[in-house]
């Protein structure tokens, strides 16, 4: 299962962006090295199911002034939804 966010109107190149996992708040932190953009993306469903985000499962790309963030979620999410 993959979750994806698209943040539009971000004109900087890919090497300016940093997407990290904040384990304390179960969120993704998007920031730029030039300090022009900062955003916390909270995932309440993952917090409710007590699923932790892992940095190695986060990928991001940049196309047409849009930052695309993809997070791969482990398959135990499917099992918990069935119960």
């Amino acid at each position: 299962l993959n979750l994806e966010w698209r943040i539009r109107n971000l004109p900087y190149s890919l090497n300016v962006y940093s997407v990290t996992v904040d384990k304390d708040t179960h969120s993704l932190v998007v920031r730029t090295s030039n300090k022009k953009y900062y955003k916390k993306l909270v995932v309440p469903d993952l917090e409710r199911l007590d699923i932790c985000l892992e940095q190695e499962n986060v990928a991001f790309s940049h196309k047409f002034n849009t930052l695309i963030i993809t997070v791969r979620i482990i398959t135990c999410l499917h099992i918990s939804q069935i119960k």
Side-chain angles (χ1 to χ4, degrees):
L1 177 67
N2 288 337
L3 298 176
E4 183 176 282
W5 289 267
R6 292 177 179 257
I7 305 172
R8 300 184 189 272
N9 297 324
L10 294 177
Y12 311 110
S13 62
L14 184 63
N15 61 353
V16 173
Y17 299 102
S18 168
V19 180
T20 56
V21 173
D22 185 0
K23 292 193 182 261
D24 296 333
T25 61
H26 294 277
S27 63
L28 292 169
V29 178
V30 181
R31 63 175 60 121
T32 57
S33 60
N34 61 5
K35 310 255 193 252
K36 299 285 184 182
Y37 186 83
Y38 179 87
K39 179 76 176 175
K40 273 192 173 185
L41 302 173
V42 180
V43 188
D45 289 338
L46 295 181
E47 188 174 348
R48 180 177 49 85
L49 294 171
D50 198 29
I51 297 174
C52 294
L53 295 171
E54 298 292 333
Q55 185 66 45
E56 59 267 6
N57 295 334
V58 176
F60 60 98
S61 62
H62 188 263
K63 290 183 184 176
F64 308 112
N65 287 343
T66 302
L67 184 66
I68 304 164
I69 303 166
T70 306
V71 177
R72 175 165 287 202
I73 303 299
I74 54 176
T75 57
C76 69
L77 180 63
H78 296 296
I79 296 168
S80 65
Q81 285 181 342
I82 293 171
K83 291 182 180 179

